[in-house]
Every structure is written in structure tokens, then in C-alpha cells.
């Protein structure tokens, strides 16, 4: 058993020596070729810019989400018989025109709020064939057709499929990160063995 440990230690030291040589060669190449070094800096700058753009895009989406939620809250406060987070019911066809004609809320806020409201899972679930649609007073104003109900079912399936794919991708990325972390940890252990 002791011989096996010695063989592993010798092989590890040999590999570490080879790694040191490769690092020295790479450093020498960097010193000899400043053009490559400047290209590396450019690549790093581009990557940094891409990360910044991604962060700004995320911030922009977050701001839009906040604005949409604020507009939706205003709509729910102004028309509590029609808009609700809990008792979601199908809206009258053409309700946007009714809201614009009522002039209680700005046009851009109406569009934001309606877009947010009708794209929720609760709203899609409320679109059952024959269900009553409601107007601004909360009164019945038409019914949901079979075709509209089928469309809503399709949207629900699509949303669920996208969620599954996103969850699957996140699990895959997490597994890759854990694998990378394990490899890094093992390399650090090897480096520490050499230092002894």
C-alpha cells in the first residue's frame, strides 16, 4: 500500500513539474509576443463589455417589470370589480378601448397593465369555454369561445414547457459548476501536496 502511495505522489510531482514547464513556456510566449498579449486584453475587454450589456439588459427588464406591476396595481385600484389578483376573470373583448375612453389612466399605463394582466397563468386558466367575460363595472359582457379556450390551453402548455426547459438548463449548469468546483478543489489539493 505504501508503494502505491509513493507511486501516486511521484506521478503527481511529475505532472506538477510538467505543468510548471508549460506555464513557464506560456509566460515566455507572452513576453515574446506583445501582439498576442494585446489581443488577449481586447478579448477580455469584449467579454467585460458583453457582461456589462447583459447586466444592463437585466436591469432594463427589471425596471420594465416594476413599471408593469405599478401600472397593474393602479388599474386594480381604479377598477377593483374588474381587475384582481385573486378572482381573475376573463375580460370583455375591447376593454382597452373602454379604459382609454374612461380617461382615468394614461394610455401607456393601460397598455402595460393589460399586457401584464392577460399574460398571467391565472388569466389563461380563467379562459374556460362559456365563461362570462366582464366589463369595467364587473358586469357580464360576452363569453369565452371554444377557440379562445383552446388558445389559452396552448399558451399554458407552452409556458409550462418553457419552465421545464429553463429548470432543466439551470440543473445542467449547476451540475457543470459543481463538477468544475470539484476539479478545482482536486487541483488545489495536488498543488498543496507538492508544497509539502
Amino acid at each position: 500500500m505504501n508503494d502505491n502511495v509513493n507511486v501516486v505522489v511521484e506521478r503527481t510531482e511529475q505532472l506538477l513539474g510538467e505543468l510548471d514547464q508549460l506555464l513557464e513556456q506560456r509566460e515566455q510566449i507572452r513576453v515574446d509576443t506583445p501582439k498576442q498579449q494585446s489581443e488577449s486584453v481586447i478579448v477580455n475587454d469584449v467579454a467585460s463589455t458583453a457582461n456589462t450589456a447583459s447586466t444592463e439588459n437585466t436591469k432594463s427588464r427589471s425596471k420594465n417589470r416594476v413599471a408593469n406591476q405599478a401600472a397593474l396595481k393602479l388599474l386594480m385600484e381604479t377598477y377593483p370589480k374588474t381587475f384582481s389578483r385573486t378572482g381573475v376573470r376573463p375580460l370583455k373583448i375591447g376593454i382597452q378601448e373602454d379604459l382609454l375612453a374612461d380617461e382615468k389612466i394614461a394610455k401607456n399605463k393601460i397598455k402595460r397593465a393589460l399586457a401584464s394582466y392577460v399574460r398571467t397563468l391565472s388569466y389563461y386558466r380563467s379562459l374556460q369555454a362559456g365563461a362570462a367575460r366582464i366589463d369595467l363595472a364587473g358586469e357580464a359582457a360576452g363569453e369565452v369561445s371554444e377557440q379562445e379556450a383552446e388558445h389559452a390551453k396552448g399558451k399554458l402548455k407552452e409556458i409550462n414547457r418553457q419552465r421545464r426547459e429553463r429548470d432543466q438548463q439551470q440543473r445542467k449548469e449547476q451540475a457543470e459548476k459543481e463538477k468544475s468546483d470539484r476539479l478545482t478543489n482536486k487541483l488545489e489539493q495536488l498543488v498543496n501536496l507538492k508544497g509539502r
Side-chain angles (χ1 to χ4, degrees), residues 111-147:
K111 287 185 176 192
R112 279 182 179 276
L114 280 177
S116 295
Y117 192 76
V118 300
R119 291 183 181 134
T120 63
L121 293 175
S122 300
Y123 189 78
Y124 286 129
R125 288 184 191 120
S126 75
L127 293 171
Q128 300 294 318
R133 292 181 171 276
I134 56 170
D135 62 11
L136 293 180
E139 302 295 323
E143 288 185 352
V144 176
S145 70
E146 281 287 335
Q147 187 178 11

Side-chain angles (χ1 to χ4, degrees), residues 3 10 15 30 71-72 75 98 100-101 106 121 132 137 140 150 158 160 164 183 191:
D3 291 336
E10 282 179 32
L15 287 171
R30 282 188 189 169
L72 184 54
L75 200 63
D98 294 349
L100 292 170
L121 293 175
E150 287 302 315
E158 178 65 18
N160 287 329
R164 281 192 307 274
L183 183 60
V191 168

Side-chain angles (χ1 to χ4, degrees), residues 9-156:
V9 169
E10 282 179 32
R11 181 66 183 140
T12 302
E13 288 176 353
Q14 181 184 4
L15 287 171
L16 289 172
E18 290 173 10
L19 283 172
D20 285 340
Q21 287 175 351
L22 287 171
L23 287 172
E24 287 174 15
Q25 289 173 355
R26 191 173 215 182
E27 286 299 315
Q28 186 61 37
I29 291 171
R30 282 188 189 169
V31 170
D32 292 344
T33 56
K35 180 184 173 204
Q36 282 183 338
Q37 196 172 26
S38 65
E39 287 174 355
S40 173
V41 169
I42 290 170
V43 168
N44 288 338
D45 287 346
V46 169
S48 175
T49 303
N51 286 340
T52 301
S54 175
T55 302
E56 289 173 3
N57 198 11
T58 302
K59 287 180 183 178
S60 176
R61 274 188 294 203
S62 180
K63 283 182 181 180
N64 280 336
R65 192 174 299 122
V66 169
N68 292 348
Q69 292 304 312
L72 184 54
K73 183 178 179 189
L74 177 63
L75 200 63
M76 286 190 277
E77 290 170 354
T78 308
Y79 303 98
K81 292 180 181 178
T82 306
F83 299 95
S84 167
R85 288 201 191 277
T86 53
V88 178
R89 298 183 292 174
L91 299 174
K92 169 189 167 190
I93 301 292
I95 200 161
Q96 180 172 340
E97 288 76 23
D98 294 349
L99 288 164
L100 292 170
D102 205 25
E103 296 182 347
K104 291 183 179 178
I105 301 175
K107 181 180 180 179
N108 65 334
K109 290 186 180 181
I110 290 171
K111 287 185 176 192
R112 279 182 179 276
L114 280 177
S116 295
Y117 192 76
V118 300
R119 291 183 181 134
T120 63
L121 293 175
S122 300
Y123 189 78
Y124 286 129
R125 288 184 191 120
S126 75
L127 293 171
Q128 300 294 318
R133 292 181 171 276
I134 56 170
D135 62 11
L136 293 180
E139 302 295 323
E143 288 185 352
V144 176
S145 70
E146 281 287 335
Q147 187 178 11
E148 292 164 337
E150 287 302 315
H151 177 74
K153 284 180 188 177
K155 284 290 196 180
L156 282 169

